[in-house]
Amino acid sequence: MSLWLAGLALLLVKIGLVLFVVLTGAAYLVLAERKLLARFQLRLGPNRAGPLGIWQPLADALKLLMKEDTVPAGADRPLFLAAPAMSAATAMLIFAVVPFGDSLTIAGRPVPLVVADVSVGLLFVLALSSIGVYGVVLGGWASNSSFSLLGAIRGGAQMISYELPLALSLAPVVMLAGSFSLVDIVSAQAGCPFIVKQPAAFLIFCVSALAESKRLPFDLPEAENELMAGYHTEYSGMRFGLYFVGEYVNMIALGCLVAVFFLGGWRGPLLPPFVWLMLKAALVPLVLIWVRATLPRLRFDQLMHSSWKVLTPLALANILVTGGLMAALG
Amino acid sequence: MLPEMVKLRRKGEELLEDGLGLLRPFATTLGMLFTRPITVQYPEEKRVLPARSRGRIILTRSPDGDERCVACFLCSAACPVSCISMEAATREDGRRYASWFRINFGRCIFCGLCEEACPTLAIQLTPDYEFSKATIMELVYEKPALLVDHGGKDPDYDFYRHAGVTEKGEKGSHVNEQEPVDVKRLLP
Amino acid sequence: MSRKPEEASCRLTIDGREIVVAADTPVIDAAERLGIMIPRFCYHPALGAVGACRMCAVKFLDGPVKGLQMSCMVGARDGMVVSTTNPEAVDFRRQVVEWLMANHPHDCPVCDEGGHCLLQDETISGGHALRRYRGPKRTYRDQDLGPFVAHEMNRCIHCYRCARFYQEVAGGRDYGVLSIARRTYFGRYEGGRLESPFAGNIIDLCPTGTLTDKPSRYRARRWDLERGPSVCLHCSLGCGLTVGARYREVMKLEARLNPEVNGHFICDRGRYGFGYESRPDRPRQPRVDGRETIAGAALAALAEGLKPFEAGKVAMVGGTRSNLETLAALLGLCRDQGWRPPVFFRDARLAGAAESAAAALSGDLVASLADVGRADVILVVCADPLAEAPMLALSLRRAARRGAAVLVLDHRPCDLPCEAERLTFAPQELAGCLSRLAHAALRGRKEAAAYLSSLPLPPDLLPETALALDTWGKRLAEARFPLVVCGTDQAEPTLPALAGGLARLLAGSHDQDRRAGFLPLLPGPNGLAAALAGGGDLEALLADIEDGRATALLVVESDLLSRTPEPERWLAALRKLKLLAVCDHLPSPLLEAAHVVLPSRTVFEAGGHFVNQEGRLQRAMPVFSPGLPMGRTLREGHPPRLFMSCAPGSEPRPAADWLKDLAGLLGAGGRAGDWADLAAAFPGLPGLAAGPAPENGRRCLPETAPGADAPSVAKTGSPDVPPDHLQVLLVERTFGTEELSCRAPLLAASAPEPWVDLAAADAGKAGLAHGAWLLVPLPGGPLRARLRVHQDMAPGLLLLPRDPRLLWQRLAGTGVLVELLRLHAITAEEEPAGEDTTLEAEP
Ligand code: SF4
Ligand code: SF4
Ligand code: SF4
Ligand code: SF4
Ligand code: FES
């Protein structure tokens, strides 16, 4: 009984820690993005709230919290209220299966540094990213606005299209690791990270994940100059904030996943595992910001073309090649 | 070389070019990251704007110190957001003027079309942009607040010296006018 | 050899498109019908072509005429091929406009024409965007042309439109073209007020800013005006107007083309008869017992106040200046509540005359103003066109210029802008004279026997007048299109029926395609509808109030106290009333006496339908919503900085709405108040059933009048006028007397000084000279006025205008006689003795 209680307490502590780290990370990622984007564009970026603008995320959060929460007339109220939460929650849930390090030993008991070591962790991640579509589609649908609806339709189409290459690109990883568990995948990279063995899968995964995150150059669902703000046009205050947080949490999650699947997770010399993971995970958001500062938005047909005619066949071929090689090399 | 080979090679070159085209911008933006930002720290630092920048609007005066505006309604007609209103009236000396003239700066988009439309050079935009207000009603400017005592960018022009009406000087006394016709003269 | 109509039409090609028009239609008109607007300055459909401006040049490529020609001067012919876009023509027009602009001043910003200036339009469309001529410009000195027309001669392009209108169309003599060559000048010999009562039209006609509207000078641009089609309410003709309002105030009225009514023009009474809508003393707030209140409370108080009365003791007075909607609501209210039928006319004589005129009208006989211009012999009986319906005078002139004979049978010195033959008789003799004329015209006509036998006996006439009447009769009988005009303002009740009967029999006297017309003049813009609705008259009502047979009175848009010759008696009677409610938009002493005041909207704010003297249903549109003019709400010199849902002073409601709501409160069972109800209220106008009026109106009279073939005409007796006595007749003038326009500040301020008229014979007897100041002893006190002596006026009459600037209400009764020798001349300064009644004083 007490064991069970201790386990629960441990779990809660782990969840709390992860959420704290992730949310703070997301908040400062916002600041980092604004600062970096500004510098890419020869501006200074936020520099008024605190030295170098470090309180800017706090100010933004306060502002969002204090804004009026409006629900448009004719909106589907329950859906409208729930959709942003769905978007943020799916992003955060990914961290449940990300291993932050090897297991610690506390009071003589091994404590794995992962909230839940699920045996089908990878499938769980894919499932979450599929559920993430609902946040977009339902939010856009429930707003009762043509811009939102168009954004939602684009979002739905885009995310479903890219889920395919995303999942297929991970098949070789599973094949190499021989497990769906993220912990096992990390363990399998003890020798050499998968990016070396699977460069093609890495590329496909990165592009597809970028598309899943709906960021430039794939931000068609919220293309400002066509759709005002796409599926979240009608949202204000903290509900808009949830979509916003969701996007940035997603970016970090993406970073973690790339680290876990291809960069060897928490493994690394000298530094403690958690720091290694964070360093690797930070790489992806920084690149995403750079991409955003550099590339223009795709056309919708180009978007579809690259998914169905380039990435998906490539991912399939990659599976065949990996399988063939594995069979050949025993 | 076989034609297929040529084709293939061309294809390869194209692909390379495309790939480079995708990557080169990254270098450019990366370069920007290490370039000095151009941001000016307003309000600590202020830029001196060119004389023709479009900010707060004024009503100027002709060289003789009289109001230039003749309440011709051209600016209010030109204004795309209809933020100029006025009422025309006749002064005791017969001069046409605006008895009141109002610009709602809460609505003005500083497009400068009013200035372009004004035939008397009365209405002019100035480089002053620092006039935000705490309440929106304060942005509704009336004539006394708009009228200045100089000629703005065109200090020398005086519409009434060129017009044919007698508000300033008798017929025939304006710029480029002949003596009035003597209707009752009998010579052919 | 007569040409068949199809031979008279021809087919021509303009810019590659074919059109069939009547031969000799100016090519410029034919093009306009195709939607091709050829530039023009001097051509105007109502003035015709003179070829003065050279702006309408087009190229004739094929057909009977070839080369560059003025399209206004060339009549359409078969086979013409015209190009308006030919480079030669375009270049020619561009040069013309550049010549015209060479001397044009740099005035547009301060020119009131700017924004609707034909010269601006043609300059820009002609491609002359930059001035090349830099030399000195020609200038002219301007003239003061009176209170209505501003003159800025520098801007003139010498198109002659103004002079052609003023002299040819309006018959004015004091304005025209002076000098020659580059000195050509349009103006008067000396500055001064334009004399023609149609002078305002030159403002509309002038294609430049040379002649502009003085009252609205420097006030607004055309594009800022709230504009809408309306109808003139200053006489029964119902000329078309375009209202231009800005900031809750009428800026100016312009003529609106209505081909069958006024054509392109209107008179100055119509053009400047506005301003009553923005008078400072206009009632704008509902009042109960002198206290201001809100609409609902005032209505409730009125409904409550009306409850205790026996239905038969409640009387309503309506006005002929109300719209049809109001009249219908009024009639409905009286009918549903069982009240006394509404009263519209000031006395039994006028009511009788209006009703008999209305009864004589029918669709097959009634003539429009345009018909007047088509007639060849026009008999005007007991009507002073310039005073009672000014635009009729313009139509008479048009007819006269086409060779028609205008025969005037009246007692007044009717001034007409055209050649006319005149016979003057005392008003009570007119019926007899008409009878003699009718006998001459219809002699030997079997179908006329009944009519002729019903006529009164002719008075004793001098042989030459009798002969003249007989000749007139014969000329009418021989005319191709005879037309009878009959007034009602001064007429005996039987006279309009008599005149209408004559017209009807003239129509039937020859072969089938001969027609005749009847054009009565009715009191007020809705006089016909009021006359058809019947009802009593104010004199009878007054007697009833005095006797206590009517104890509650509702007055709707009728100014009875300032229009009655017996104000004292009315005031006393009003005091006897237990309830007096007034619904009006004009300030009047009646409002002070009223227990309940309901402010109504003017025609500019309420719009509405009006039926003119020919039974034409016309519609005025509401042009702006009521409220204090912006100029009167200024604070610290500018409009208040407020957001408000309605303007101050916006309480007035359409009179019809007040009445409908009152009916609702009185439990009339929620009448729909829709068009069908309105149509049902006027069975005499069956055409109403077809719905609201189309753009140029629609005739609503029945095709034939019931019992029209045998008009029964009662014989009238003439009042006994003792020798050396003068009958005082209240008359209308062009300016200053009509009910609405005399409240128009512009006209009130500028109408000519009022005068009284006397026949030369009487003046001679009394030793009075033309232009003298006269002291007229009236029962209510003496009256001071300038005298005009006329040769062509019936003796035994003193004509007194109902001008509020005169103390005419001292007449204190109808049928007043004054002794000729008690009139005497005074010096201008001498004040009339006797107490001043406050009633006549007009601000
Ligand atoms: S600047 Fe543009 S918006 Fe502002 S007043 Fe002038 S015309 Fe209007
Ligand atoms: S355009 Fe110029 S002159 Fe005309 S009203 Fe405006 S400010 Fe006055
Ligand atoms: S007449 Fe026409 S063109 Fe001439 S100044 Fe006036 S608006 Fe301008
Ligand atoms: S005053 Fe006007 S209408 Fe008359 S000639 Fe000149 S431009 Fe024509
Ligand atoms: S319009 Fe034809 S010449 Fe003037």
Side-chain angles (χ1 to χ4, degrees):
Chain A
M1 185 63 202
S2 66
L3 204 64
W4 186 81
L5 267 183
L8 186 66
L10 195 66
L11 194 64
L12 287 180
V13 168
K14 279 200 270 188
I15 292 178
L17 271 175
V18 168
L19 276 187
F20 175 76
V21 170
V22 165
L23 288 181
T24 321
Y28 279 88
L29 186 56
V30 176
L31 181 61
E33 163 148 47
R34 290 179 61 185
K35 278 273 184 195
L36 278 175
L37 265 186
R39 294 306 304 272
F40 277 125
Q41 295 163 354
L42 295 189
R43 296 183 285 115
L44 281 176
N47 63 352
R48 297 271 152 179
L52 293 175
I54 54 167
W55 303 129
Q56 189 66 36
L58 210 64
D60 283 345
L62 272 176
K63 182 193 78 172
L64 284 177
L65 278 173
M66 276 158 32
K67 281 206 161 177
E68 191 189 349
D69 181 19
T70 55
V71 179
D76 187 331
R77 205 180 159 87
L79 276 187
F80 185 82
L81 299 185
M86 209 177 292
S87 200
T90 48
M92 284 190 250
L93 270 176
I94 292 182
F95 288 96
V97 294
V98 174
F100 291 92
D102 213 351
S103 45
L104 288 179
T105 314
I106 297 174
R109 303 167 56 82
V111 177
L113 279 183
V114 55
V115 177
D117 179 11
V118 190
S119 60
V120 288
L122 191 140
L123 294 184
F124 177 77
V125 167
L126 290 179
L128 280 178
S129 93
S130 301
I131 294 176
V133 182
Y134 284 96
V136 173
V137 172
L138 292 182
W141 165 259
S143 299
N144 187 33
S145 136
S146 37
F147 291 120
S148 303
L149 184 64
L150 279 173
I153 292 171
R154 283 188 186 183
Q158 171 177 338
M159 290 170 81
I160 289 169
S161 302
Y162 278 88
E163 231 157 61
L164 203 65
L166 187 80
L168 291 177
S169 72
L170 289 180
V173 172
V174 176
M175 285 155 73
L176 289 178
S179 163
F180 281 113
S181 157
L182 267 56
V183 177
D184 294 346
I185 291 177
V186 173
S187 317
Q189 301 178 55
C192 146
F194 284 158
I195 185 171
V196 182
K197 296 188 185 162
Q198 284 291 341
F202 172 74
L203 269 179
I204 298 169
F205 180 81
C206 282
V207 175
S208 311
L210 185 56
E212 286 284 287
S213 74
K214 307 178 291 295
R215 286 177 55 87
L216 263 168
F218 296 105
D219 70 336
L220 285 99
E222 44 190 286
E224 293 84 2
N225 27 17
E226 302 154 29
L227 297 182
M228 329 258 294
Y231 59 94
H232 59 66
T233 303
E234 302 294 339
Y235 284 92
S236 65
M238 208 49 220
R239 268 175 228 291
F240 164 73
L242 278 178
Y243 273 123
F244 202 65
V245 166
E247 179 181 341
Y248 285 85
V249 171
N250 209 14
M251 275 166 78
I252 300 180
L254 216 61
C256 291
L257 292 180
V258 169
V260 167
F261 293 142
F262 296 103
L263 303 180
W266 44 264
R267 279 168 202 286
L270 298 174
L271 295 172
F274 176 71
V275 177
W276 265 118
L277 180 76
M278 281 296 110
L279 278 179
K280 290 179 186 170
L283 218 58
V284 170
L286 290 181
V287 172
L288 288 190
I289 292 167
W290 189 10
V291 168
R292 172 169 177 190
T294 308
L295 295 182
R297 183 182 305 133
L298 292 180
R299 270 198 333 254
F300 203 77
D301 63 320
Q302 295 168 333
L303 180 90
M304 287 294 150
H305 181 274
S306 73
S307 160
W308 295 101
K309 295 194 173 166
V310 183
L311 295 181
T312 310
L314 237 133
L316 284 171
N318 194 26
I319 296 173
L320 285 181
V321 172
T322 311
L325 279 178
M326 278 172 73
L329 301 178
Chain B
M1 244 195 290
L2 288 172
E4 285 79 34
M5 292 285 283
V6 176
K7 238 191 216 161
L8 216 64
R9 191 170 152 187
R10 196 169 300 142
K11 196 96 194 159
E13 274 167 9
E14 262 171 32
L15 246 153
L16 191 71
E17 187 52 37
D18 286 358
L20 280 179
L22 195 67
L23 292 180
R24 242 183 257 122
F26 282 91
T28 311
T29 43
L30 198 65
M32 289 296 140
L33 197 56
F34 301 103
T35 311
R36 207 184 152 73
I38 55 165
T39 306
V40 173
Q41 288 293 307
Y42 180 86
E44 291 85 11
E45 299 169 37
K46 283 179 190 166
R47 280 178 63 189
V48 180
L49 295 184
R52 284 172 56 189
S53 11
R54 303 194 304 254
R56 183 172 55 87
I57 299 174
I58 53 170
L59 288 177
T60 59
R61 291 183 189 268
S62 49
D64 61 359
D66 230 333
E67 290 170 21
R68 265 183 179 154
C69 172
V70 297
C72 69
F73 295 97
L74 288 181
C75 52
S76 64
C79 179
V81 294
S82 301
C83 68
I84 304 181
S85 40
M86 80 194 82
E87 191 152 17
T90 317
R91 215 164 62 179
E92 302 88 68
D93 62 354
R95 185 169 170 127
R96 182 178 168 135
Y97 79 115
S99 58
W100 52 268
F101 192 107
R102 170 182 281 183
I103 299 184
N104 183 347
F105 282 115
R107 244 198 268 166
C108 174
I109 54 169
F110 302 99
C111 61
L113 289 182
C114 48
E115 180 171 356
E116 261 185 66
C118 182
T120 65
L121 307 182
I123 196 166
Q124 297 183 7
L125 279 79
T126 63
D128 177 17
Y129 52 87
E130 297 182 283
F131 63 116
S132 21
K133 298 284 188 290
T135 60
I136 196 150
M137 273 301 185
E138 282 177 76
L139 283 172
V140 179
Y141 274 46
E142 305 293 345
K143 190 168 148 190
L146 295 167
L147 200 61
V148 296
D149 54 4
H150 54 80
K153 282 169 270 189
D154 303 275
D156 302 328
Y157 185 68
D158 184 353
F159 167 77
Y160 278 111
R161 293 286 312 129
H162 296 264
V165 290
T166 51
E167 269 68 5
K168 196 169 283 174
E170 277 311 303
K171 297 274 169 173
S173 71
H174 307 105
V175 175
N176 238 357
E177 273 188 352
Q178 296 168 359
E179 273 299 292
V181 163
D182 179 4
V183 179
K184 292 175 186 169
R185 211 163 66 118
L186 285 176
L187 293 174
Chain C
M1 197 189 96
S2 76
R3 282 200 304 187
K4 291 202 206 98
E6 37 297 1
E7 282 174 350
S9 67
C10 62
R11 178 183 298 271
L12 67 166
T13 313
I14 305 176
D15 285 348
R17 289 159 67 195
E18 281 204 348
I19 185 170
V20 179
V21 292
D24 285 334
T25 311
V27 171
I28 196 169
D29 257 359
E32 199 173 331
R33 251 172 261 174
L34 276 175
I36 301 168
M37 202 67 181
I38 298 176
R40 81 279 307 270
F41 288 120
C42 64
Y43 178 75
H44 187 281
L47 304 177
V50 285
C53 72
R54 319 311 286 171
M55 192 60 207
C56 62
V58 295
K59 180 101 171 180
F60 288 77
L61 302 173
D62 203 0
V65 190
K66 287 235 181 72
L68 203 64
Q69 297 286 342
M70 297 308 122
S71 59
C72 66
M73 299 296 286
V74 178
R77 282 275 179 277
D78 237 347
M80 279 180 166
V81 178
V82 182
S83 166
T84 67
T85 52
N86 182 283
E88 201 183 326
V90 171
D91 197 50
F92 184 89
R93 295 200 299 258
R94 192 190 52 69
Q95 283 177 30
V96 169
V97 100
E98 184 162 11
W99 292 329
L100 290 176
M101 288 303 290
N103 279 312
H104 201 73
H106 184 64
D107 269 2
C108 294
V110 289
C111 174
D112 272 328
E113 194 81 356
H116 58 285
C117 175
L118 198 58
L119 183 56
Q120 277 182 338
D121 295 351
E122 310 290 38
T123 304
I124 297 304
S125 69
H128 175 55
L130 272 184
R131 166 175 291 273
R132 289 192 293 170
Y133 171 72
R134 296 281 168 187
K137 297 176 189 174
R138 176 185 58 206
T139 60
Y140 294 96
R141 289 204 176 81
D142 305 326
Q143 288 178 334
D144 179 3
L145 296 180
F148 299 142
V149 183
H151 195 217
E152 192 63 53
M153 196 42 213
N154 282 357
R155 301 175 188 151
C156 179
I157 55 164
H158 307 95
C159 69
Y160 288 74
R161 274 191 189 185
C162 53
R164 281 185 291 154
F165 170 81
Y166 201 86
Q167 300 187 344
E168 294 170 14
V169 177
R173 313 286 308 183
D174 58 316
Y175 177 95
V177 52
L178 280 73
S179 200
I180 53 165
R182 62 185 303 285
R183 298 198 302 275
T184 312
Y185 187 87
F186 292 83
R188 290 164 52 93
Y189 186 71
E190 253 159 7
R193 183 181 173 140
L194 292 173
E195 284 160 13
S196 166
F198 305 100
N201 290 304
I202 61 178
I203 296 166
D204 286 354
L205 282 172
C206 178
T208 72
T210 313
L211 302 167
T212 50
D213 189 51
K214 208 178 241 177
S216 69
R217 182 169 161 88
Y218 288 178
R219 296 203 63 190
R221 287 266 175 243
R222 163 76 75 80
W223 65 65
D224 278 331
L225 297 180
E226 292 175 86
R227 298 177 83 231
S230 194
V231 177
C232 175
L233 301 192
H234 303 300
C235 75
S236 61
L237 297 177
C239 296
L241 292 181
T242 301
V243 179
R246 176 160 162 82
Y247 288 150
R248 307 190 288 269
E249 194 174 358
V250 176
M251 283 284 143
K252 61 169 151 186
L253 303 178
E254 291 157 304
R256 175 171 61 88
L257 171 66
N258 190 341
E260 275 305 305
V261 183
N262 56 316
H264 287 87
F265 308 120
I266 52 171
C267 70
D268 285 0
R269 178 154 107 196
R271 187 180 296 268
Y272 296 107
F274 63 92
Y276 55 88
E277 83 293 341
S278 54
R279 285 177 69 114
D281 52 356
R282 168 175 172 189
R284 287 190 183 269
Q285 195 73 36
R287 282 206 306 261
V288 175
D289 293 325
R291 273 190 311 279
E292 298 201 332
T293 175
I294 55 167
L299 266 179
L302 177 56
E304 208 44 49
L306 279 168
K307 286 215 170 116
F309 291 97
E310 255 175 67
K313 294 206 163 185
V314 183
M316 285 199 95
V317 175
T320 52
R321 60 179 156 96
S322 292
N323 58 22
L324 211 55
E325 288 83 349
T326 307
L327 297 189
L330 204 112
L331 290 165
L333 194 59
C334 289
R335 189 186 52 231
D336 294 349
Q337 302 294 325
W339 296 343
R340 303 158 57 101
V343 175
F344 296 105
F345 297 105
R346 61 171 183 262
D347 51 34
R349 191 198 47 68
L350 181 63
E355 279 162 31
S356 80
L361 274 177
S362 63
D364 54 354
L365 187 65
V366 69
S368 66
L369 265 195
D371 289 333
V372 176
R374 297 174 193 127
D376 60 347
V377 179
I378 303 169
L379 176 67
V380 179
V381 191
C382 200
D384 182 352
L386 265 188
E388 290 173 49
M391 279 305 285
L392 174 61
L394 217 57
S395 295
L396 290 176
R397 178 173 168 84
R398 185 163 72 239
R401 292 216 312 142
R402 287 191 187 159
V406 178
L407 317 171
V408 183
L409 198 59
D410 195 51
H411 50 281
R412 287 164 287 181
C414 303
D415 202 9
L416 280 177
C418 62
E419 296 279 315
E421 294 166 51
R422 311 217 30 218
L423 286 173
T424 46
F425 297 96
Q428 58 275 10
E429 292 170 341
L430 287 176
C433 296
L434 192 62
S435 146
R436 168 126 203 169
L437 189 152
H439 275 288
L442 305 172
R443 181 157 302 138
R445 301 262 312 274
K446 268 198 221 72
E447 68 275 26
Y451 166 76
L452 289 178
S453 66
S454 72
L455 293 176
L457 288 180
D460 298 330
L461 296 169
L462 296 175
E464 60 266 30
T465 29
L467 188 65
L469 280 172
D470 291 348
T471 338
W472 284 13
K474 280 197 207 87
R475 282 160 76 183
L476 275 171
E478 285 155 11
R480 179 182 45 80
F481 180 4
L483 193 133
V484 182
V485 175
C486 182
T488 49
D489 187 60
Q490 305 274 311
E492 297 291 324
T494 52
L495 195 62
L498 222 150
L502 172 62
R504 183 167 301 282
L505 288 163
L506 285 171
S509 61
H510 283 310
D511 38 307
Q512 273 332 84
D513 62 347
R514 179 189 146 112
R515 57 174 299 206
F518 178 49
L519 189 153
L521 298 177
L522 288 155
N526 246 341
L528 180 61
L532 286 169
D537 61 89
L538 282 173
E539 273 178 345
L541 179 63
L542 178 57
D544 283 357
I545 296 174
E546 283 170 336
D547 296 350
R549 283 195 294 268
T551 49
L553 181 63
L554 264 61
V555 183
V556 181
E557 301 193 322
S558 170
D559 206 0
L560 57 91
L561 215 45
S562 18
R563 305 290 293 169
T564 174
E566 302 163 287
E568 294 300 333
R569 211 178 131 204
W570 263 107
L571 266 182
L574 292 180
R575 264 180 239 120
K576 281 195 177 167
L577 286 173
K578 301 219 171 60
L579 179 68
L580 171 63
V582 181
C583 174
D584 206 348
H585 49 75
L586 289 185
S588 78
L590 200 58
L591 295 174
E592 306 311 318
H595 302 116
V596 180
V597 174
L598 306 175
S600 72
R601 290 191 187 176
T602 62
V603 64
F604 308 117
E605 301 143 354
H609 282 82
F610 295 87
V611 178
N612 78 353
Q613 94 319 111
E614 49 155 335
R616 182 179 296 271
L617 177 74
Q618 299 196 95
R619 181 177 204 175
M621 286 311 211
V623 178
F624 62 101
S625 37
L628 277 184
M630 176 79 94
R632 239 176 287 133
T633 62
L634 301 190
R635 280 184 223 154
E636 297 163 27
H638 56 74
R641 291 140 75 104
L642 290 172
F643 289 123
M644 285 199 300
S645 53
C646 60
S650 56
E651 283 78 8
R653 306 173 58 204
D657 288 2
W658 284 118
L659 293 177
K660 274 181 215 152
D661 287 358
L662 178 63
L665 284 182
L666 292 173
R671 293 167 50 78
D674 60 8
W675 188 261
D677 285 340
L678 188 147
F682 300 97
L685 294 168
L688 288 183
E695 189 186 332
N696 285 338
R698 181 184 67 234
R699 273 195 187 159
C700 288
L701 286 171
E703 219 17 66
T704 48
D709 290 327
S712 75
V713 178
K715 303 189 168 41
T716 51
S718 45
D720 286 326
V721 182
D724 286 343
H725 274 66
L726 297 173
Q727 212 181 330
V728 183
L729 287 184
L730 288 171
V731 294
E732 294 289 325
R733 298 268 194 254
T734 315
F735 300 110
T737 60
E738 184 267 330
E739 187 174 357
L740 274 173
S741 66
C742 73
R743 308 308 179 86
L746 277 173
L747 284 184
S750 65
E753 181 183 51
W755 70 92
V756 295
D757 300 299
L758 209 56
D762 295 329
K765 264 191 236 162
L768 297 168
H770 186 90
W773 281 96
L774 203 61
L775 204 60
V776 184
L778 292 177
L783 169 143
R784 190 176 66 107
R786 184 83 81 167
L787 173 68
R788 285 202 192 168
V789 175
H790 301 270
Q791 295 293 341
D792 49 358
M793 179 184 147
L797 301 176
L798 178 75
L799 305 184
L800 177 59
R802 289 188 197 88
D803 191 315
R805 291 168 297 173
L806 281 185
L807 302 175
W808 65 271
Q809 285 186 315
R810 288 185 170 174
L811 203 55
T814 43
V816 172
L817 303 177
V818 293
E819 249 177 86
L820 176 58
L821 294 177
R822 285 190 56 210
L823 299 181
H824 62 275
I826 53 172
T827 59
E829 290 76 35
E830 215 171 304
E831 277 303 313
E835 86 286 13
D836 219 340
T837 56
T838 49
L839 278 173
E840 298 85 345
E842 271 293 323

